[in-house]
């Protein structure tokens, strides 16, 4: 097992003037560095291109392609670095002409005002309701009139079918049996991990965490957020490379054995596991 290096050593920009204007890009950059994430980490987690992340952190929103996309990128990046997006969106609106004007309420008001004047008594609905009531009454009368014949059939039915009542119970017993093997999916799979491959299970036991996993060729196996209680299993012929956004919330099982590393809550960890892990001693 090997642990990757920490994110690049970046220091937040410090403006010597206490009255410097609020900067969206500076706030996002400082929050990212405080979270221990690189631009590549944020781009991978949010699927926002690296060039756009750099541009937004420099307060250049032209590459976003418009105000709607810019607001969406700001919200996405803010959540990735655990920052409240509301003040950032408000600042963006202040510096870019504000939000689009809402739809005028006058046409809607006119429509509501005119509609009651054209409506009269709904005689069609009243006639349909009356017809339905009559048909229902006739059907109910016909049904209750045939109860005598039906009661005979019901009375005679159990005597002929008493010997067959056990059949449905055997069917339900059969359908209940396949449900048992499906209740133990992960433990057996990890316990039976093949020795010629590396098998890694990632479980969000104590909270949610962003997780990225790649195989020995660098191919992305998974990139997303695991909620509390979720788990993922990855397998490769040589090695698995992991990036954990909040390593303290994760339980790791490598080749059928639990990894007891004491990860700190909120720490970003880069890990690599091979077929020989966990190594003894």
């Amino acid at each position: 097992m090997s642990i990757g290096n920490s994110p690049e050593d970046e220091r937040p920009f410090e403006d010597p003037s206490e009255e410097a204007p609020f900067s969206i890009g500076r706030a996002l950059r400082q929050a990212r560095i405080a979270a221990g994430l690189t631009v590549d980490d944020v781009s991978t987690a949010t699927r926002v291109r690296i060039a756009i992340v750099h541009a937004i952190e420099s307060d250049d929103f032209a590459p976003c392609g418009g105000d709607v996309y810019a607001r969406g990128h700001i919200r996405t990046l803010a959540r990735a670095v655990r920052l409240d997006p509301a003040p950032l969106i408000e600042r963006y609106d202040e510096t870019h002409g504000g939000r689009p004007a809402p739809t005028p309420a006058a046409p809607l008001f006119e429509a509501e005002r005119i509609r009651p004047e054209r409506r009269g008594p709904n005689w069609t609905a009243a006639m349909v309701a009356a017809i339905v009531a009559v048909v229902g009454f006739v059907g109910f009368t016909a049904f209750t009139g045939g109860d005598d014949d039906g009661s005979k059939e019901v009375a005679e039915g159990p005597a002929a079918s008493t010997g067959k009542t056990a059949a449905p119970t055997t069917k339900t017993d059969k359908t209940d049996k396949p449900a048992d093997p499906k209740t133990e999916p992960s433990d057996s799979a990890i316990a039976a991990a093949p020795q010629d491959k590396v098998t890694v299970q990632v479980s969000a036991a104590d909270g949610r965490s962003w997780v990225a996993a790649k195989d020995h060729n660098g191919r992305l196996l998974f990139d997303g957020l695991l909620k509390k209680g979720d788990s993922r299993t990855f397998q490769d012929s040589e090695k698995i490379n992991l990036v954990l956004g909040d390593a303290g919330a994760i339980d790791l099982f490598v080749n059928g054995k639990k990894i007891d590393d004491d990860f700190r809550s909120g720490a970003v960890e880069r890990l690599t596991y091979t077929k020989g892990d966990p190594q003894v001693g």
Side-chain angles (χ1 to χ4, degrees):
M1 180 187 71
S2 63
I3 300 177
N5 296 327
S6 299
E8 58 194 15
D9 184 14
E10 294 179 315
R11 297 181 179 177
F13 174 79
E14 296 180 358
D15 190 15
S17 174
E18 295 181 354
E19 298 180 356
F22 177 73
S23 168
I24 298 172
R26 185 187 303 113
L28 289 173
R29 182 169 180 267
Q30 290 176 344
R32 172 178 61 78
I33 296 171
L37 300 174
T38 64
V39 172
D40 187 35
D41 292 336
V42 172
S43 176
T44 303
T46 61
R47 300 185 185 276
V48 177
R49 287 182 294 160
I50 293 177
I52 294 181
V53 176
H54 278 299
I56 291 176
E57 288 191 354
S58 300
D59 290 315
D60 179 11
F61 303 99
C64 295
D67 291 340
V68 174
Y69 297 104
R71 291 187 186 94
H73 288 328
I74 292 171
R75 288 191 187 93
T76 301
L77 296 180
R79 289 166 182 159
V81 297
R82 303 172 186 173
L83 196 63
D84 183 9
L88 304 181
I89 297 299
E90 182 178 355
R91 177 59 179 170
Y92 181 85
D93 293 336
E94 291 176 355
T95 57
H96 291 78
R99 289 181 175 274
T103 303
L108 299 179
F109 174 78
E110 291 296 330
E112 292 297 329
R113 185 177 63 82
I114 294 171
R115 190 179 296 115
E117 295 178 0
R118 295 185 299 173
R119 294 170 71 181
N122 195 341
W123 296 110
T124 302
M127 292 178 63
V128 171
I131 293 172
V132 170
V134 172
V135 172
F137 177 78
V138 172
F140 177 78
T141 303
F143 177 79
T144 54
D147 282 346
D148 293 338
D149 295 337
S151 61
K152 291 180 182 179
E153 294 177 0
V154 172
E156 295 173 357
S161 60
T162 51
K164 299 180 181 179
T165 54
T169 58
T170 57
K171 291 181 180 179
T172 55
D173 292 340
K174 292 180 180 179
T175 55
D176 291 339
K177 292 180 180 179
D180 295 337
K182 297 179 181 179
T183 58
E184 300 176 357
S186 59
D187 294 342
S188 59
I190 291 298
Q195 296 181 356
D196 59 339
K197 295 182 179 181
V198 54
T199 304
V200 178
Q201 185 189 54
V202 182
S203 299
D206 299 325
R208 63 179 187 174
S209 174
W210 168 73
V211 174
K214 295 182 180 180
D215 61 12
H216 73 281
N217 291 322
R219 183 173 62 93
L220 188 64
L221 302 177
F222 178 76
D223 176 11
L225 184 68
L226 292 186
K227 297 180 180 179
K228 184 175 181 180
D230 291 348
S231 65
R232 287 275 181 167
T233 301
F234 311 107
Q235 197 172 77
D236 188 66
S237 60
E238 295 184 17
K239 67 179 179 179
I240 297 291
N241 297 311
L242 294 176
V243 179
L244 307 179
D246 185 355
I250 295 296
D251 282 349
L252 287 177
F253 297 85
V254 178
N255 297 324
K257 297 180 181 180
K258 184 176 181 180
I259 303 299
D260 295 325
D261 289 358
D262 188 13
F263 296 131
R264 292 182 295 105
S265 178
V268 178
E269 295 288 343
R270 291 174 175 78
L271 310 168
T272 300
Y273 294 103
T274 62
K275 292 182 289 186
D277 290 327
Q279 297 178 359
V280 179

